[in-house]
Amino acid sequence: MLSYSISQRTFHFRQPAGTSRGVYTTRHSWFITLTDSSRPGVSGMGECAPLPNLSCDDIPAYEQTLASLCRMTVSTGTIDYTLWRPYPSMLFGMETAMRRLANGCDVIYDTPFTRGEVGIPINGLVWMGNHEEMCRRMEEKIQSGFRCVKLKIGAIDFEEEVDLIRRIRDRFSPESIELRLDANGAFAPQDALSKLHLLSRFHIHSIEQPIRQHQWREMASICKSSPIPIALDEELIGVNIPEMKAALLDTIRPSYIILKPSLHGGLYGSEEWIRLADERGIGSWVTSALESNVGLSAIAQFAAQVYGCPPQMPQGLGTGQLFTDNVESPVEMVGDQLYYHPYPIANDAE
């Protein structure tokens, strides 16, 4: 017989994490722990971590809703995706908890990655800050061995950001350093193309979400004319029905979509997005959404499962060192790759 418990934990960032939507200093997560009376001593844990003011299931009655869904699931032993679809961060936690319980350890998918045979290349993430801070963080990433670096832009003066990117390109060619940008919707629709043309001088791999979501017509026009490939991220939030997903992709026609399971439908919904994108020749990669190591491990395993080992493109999984008080995990960052050390971990987030 299945049973569940829910616990909470607040994590603390090593340094403030700045985005165009504000600055994070703490991160709050809920953890589902599943047990089965027929398997004493075995449990499975999943992390539910909605992003404030961004996740479609960032709701006041979050824990009560999560508990209600958990009760229905343990009573039947299966996930009813019709009920869970509107709550992607909760679904991600339940999916991963059930897989871990079934396997009796942290492993969700058996791949060369979880067997410790290969690593997953990831992009180095440079958070928003003032000009000097971003320059210093960029230097640190490059010195650590990263060959793909993602800069979050949109929080400081645009000319200062352009100057930073220019300085990077003066020192590092596109062949030595791949640059990805994430605007988090910071550009105004009427200014976006002129800024994208200016940025294109610096051989940018892609830019995420140049304008805010829910502007399909404007985003479609930008994707059609942009000299830089456009990747959608926030645009996918709350689009949980397959028909709506297909309509979004057919209307906007981005070059890439970026999947965060906690935001974009859990593992089930992310697989759906990837399949629909593949059918339309749209690329994708997976990234974490400021989860603790419990969630990060699951997302890394998912990336290895859906894209192969190692994936052809760097993934966005470099969040394991963000917190001063993260939980123990078998994932470890070495240079610009994430590795998995195959051993069972204690399912304890308290």
Side-chain angles (χ1 to χ4, degrees):
M1 180 178 177
L2 284 177
S3 60
Y4 77 93
S5 63
I6 297 173
S7 60
Q8 301 181 43
R9 179 160 175 173
T10 299
F11 298 95
H12 299 83
F13 284 90
R14 294 183 185 278
Q15 58 189 25
T19 75
S20 61
R21 296 175 178 273
V23 178
Y24 293 112
T25 57
T26 60
R27 183 77 166 98
H28 193 64
S29 292
W30 285 260
F31 294 89
I32 302 169
T33 301
L34 297 178
T35 56
D36 187 339
S37 58
S38 67
R39 303 172 66 197
V42 177
S43 63
M45 175 175 284
E47 181 174 5
C48 308
L51 282 169
N53 303 315
L54 185 60
S55 297
C56 64
D57 56 356
D58 174 35
I59 55 178
Y62 187 90
E63 186 168 337
Q64 296 93 319
T65 303
L66 177 60
S68 176
L69 290 166
C70 286
R71 283 194 297 271
M72 289 185 282
T73 299
V74 299
S75 68
T76 62
T78 59
I79 297 174
D80 183 340
Y81 287 98
T82 303
L83 296 176
W84 286 85
R85 272 189 188 274
Y87 310 103
S89 68
M90 302 181 198
L91 174 57
F92 174 65
M94 177 55 76
E95 288 175 307
T96 52
M98 290 192 78
R99 288 176 180 266
R100 284 171 169 144
L101 176 64
N103 293 333
C105 62
D106 179 72
V107 172
I108 294 171
Y109 301 101
D110 178 22
T111 66
F113 172 67
T114 52
R115 294 195 293 271
E117 298 168 4
V118 297
I120 296 176
I122 61 176
N123 60 234
L125 179 61
V126 176
W127 287 97
M128 291 178 178
N130 61 41
H131 191 272
E132 291 72 23
E133 289 172 338
M134 292 183 72
C135 284
R136 174 176 52 79
R137 293 168 188 168
M138 172 61 74
E139 288 285 347
E140 290 171 353
K141 293 299 179 185
I142 293 172
Q143 290 176 9
S144 296
F146 284 95
R147 292 297 172 262
C148 176
V149 179
K150 170 179 163 180
L151 285 79
K152 283 187 171 288
I153 63 172
I156 62 176
D157 181 75
F158 180 69
E159 291 302 321
E160 289 189 45
E161 292 172 335
V162 170
D163 180 63
L164 170 61
I165 296 168
R166 180 184 294 111
R167 289 168 61 179
I168 295 166
R169 273 291 171 250
D170 285 345
R171 294 184 54 198
F172 302 99
S173 70
E175 292 72 30
S176 60
I177 295 292
E178 178 180 286
L179 282 179
R180 297 175 177 177
L181 303 180
D182 183 0
N184 284 123
F187 299 164
Q190 63 271 23
D191 300 331
L193 277 177
S194 62
K195 290 183 176 180
L196 291 171
H197 277 282
L198 182 57
L199 292 169
S200 69
R201 304 173 187 173
F202 308 111
H203 303 280
I204 306 300
H205 170 271
S206 57
I207 182 167
E208 296 177 36
Q209 207 67 43
I211 65 174
R212 286 191 178 273
Q213 66 267 43
H214 309 314
Q215 303 179 86
W216 287 19
R217 181 182 302 175
E218 292 84 355
M219 187 69 84
S221 177
I222 290 169
C223 287
K224 184 177 181 180
S225 303
S226 174
I228 301 174
I230 303 298
L232 300 186
D233 179 356
E234 289 94 337
E235 197 72 65
L236 313 181
I237 296 172
V239 183
N240 299 316
I241 306 302
E243 292 78 10
M244 289 183 61
K245 294 179 180 181
L248 183 150
L249 296 176
D250 288 336
T251 301
I252 299 179
R253 303 297 303 181
S255 296
Y256 301 101
I257 59 172
I258 301 172
L259 284 312
K260 294 180 171 75
S262 290
L263 290 175
H264 301 138
L267 305 179
Y268 182 86
S270 295
E271 286 181 323
E272 208 167 57
W273 274 116
I274 292 168
R275 175 179 57 78
L276 291 168
D278 284 347
E279 291 171 355
R280 291 159 173 79
I282 297 170
S284 64
W285 66 87
V286 170
T287 184
S288 48
L290 307 182
E291 294 88 357
S292 76
N293 279 334
V294 175
L296 176 62
S297 172
I299 298 168
Q301 294 183 56
F302 176 70
Q305 173 72 10
V306 296
Y307 295 124
C309 296
Q312 291 185 350
M313 296 177 64
Q315 306 295 296
L317 303 171
T319 62
Q321 298 178 333
L322 288 178
F323 305 117
T324 60
D325 45 4
N326 215 328
V327 299
E328 185 181 0
S329 170
V331 293
E332 178 187 13
M333 195 160 66
V334 180
D336 67 343
Q337 296 200 46
L338 198 68
Y339 285 89
Y340 189 97
H341 301 292
Y343 65 90
I345 62 171
N347 287 328
D348 181 10
E350 308 253 37

